[in-house]
Amino acid sequence: MKKLIILLLVIASAISAIHAQCTLPYKSLCAFNNDTTSFVTYNFDTRSTCYVGKTMANVIADLGISVQSYLIIGDDFRTDLYSGIYLHLYPYYKVLQLEDSCIYKNEIAIEWDTPIDQALLDPQIKQTNRHKWTEAMYNLLKDKKIKDIGIVRKR
């Protein structure tokens, strides 16, 4: 009985520690005087632990700014899987122009808790302008759980 009580206490403290990791409040874009870089850095980098275990739909809802483009991240170990995504607040051509100048603005990197099969995403990617964010892409990815999230500083 004592072992059971100790086990329950350990589990309860572990659960509360996980929830305690996200102590910073979400702040709207208005709180940053519409400075999207500060908004994205604070909410999706400084508060990154708040999104671990949540879904892509949660991230997109909190972003509140239209995602314009994306870049899928390949898995390091298997070529038939995608492990995450970069979300951009600019059209892809603008992202490339900024990267050429070594500027990485408002680029959110997300790693999913389980990689996704390329066969599921590739047809959707080929149907549209390869990097344009669409409602169909959102619907495919909205339930993907987040393993890690942050902003891109360099690639």
Side-chain angles (χ1 to χ4, degrees), residues 34-97:
N34 292 326
D35 177 349
T36 54
T37 301
S38 296
F39 167 77
V40 168
T41 301
Y42 173 79
N43 283 306
F44 302 101
D45 197 53
T46 305
R47 297 180 61 251
S48 63
T49 57
C50 299
Y51 292 99
V52 174
K54 292 195 176 179
T55 65
M56 289 282 295
N58 297 125
V59 172
I60 301 295
D62 279 359
L63 187 56
I65 303 169
S66 297
V67 174
Q68 296 294 311
S69 60
Y70 67 92
L71 180 64
I72 297 291
I73 303 169
D75 190 81
D76 289 338
F77 303 105
R78 291 190 44 194
T79 58
D80 62 331
L81 297 175
Y82 294 126
S83 61
I85 191 169
Y86 296 114
L87 298 178
H88 308 122
L89 304 183
Y90 302 108
Y92 196 66
Y93 75 89
K94 182 69 173 171
V95 172
L96 293 176
Q97 288 173 349

Side-chain angles (χ1 to χ4, degrees), residues 3 10 19 25 37 44 51 53 89 102 123 133 144:
K3 289 181 182 179
V10 168
H19 291 292
T37 301
F44 302 101
Y51 292 99
L89 304 183
C102 295
W133 185 254
K144 290 297 294 172

Side-chain angles (χ1 to χ4, degrees), residues 138-153:
Y138 169 81
N139 288 329
L140 277 173
L141 300 176
K142 67 182 177 185
D143 296 323
K144 290 297 294 172
K145 292 215 183 254
I146 309 297
K147 178 180 180 181
D148 195 14
I149 187 170
I151 60 165
V152 176
R153 288 176 175 77

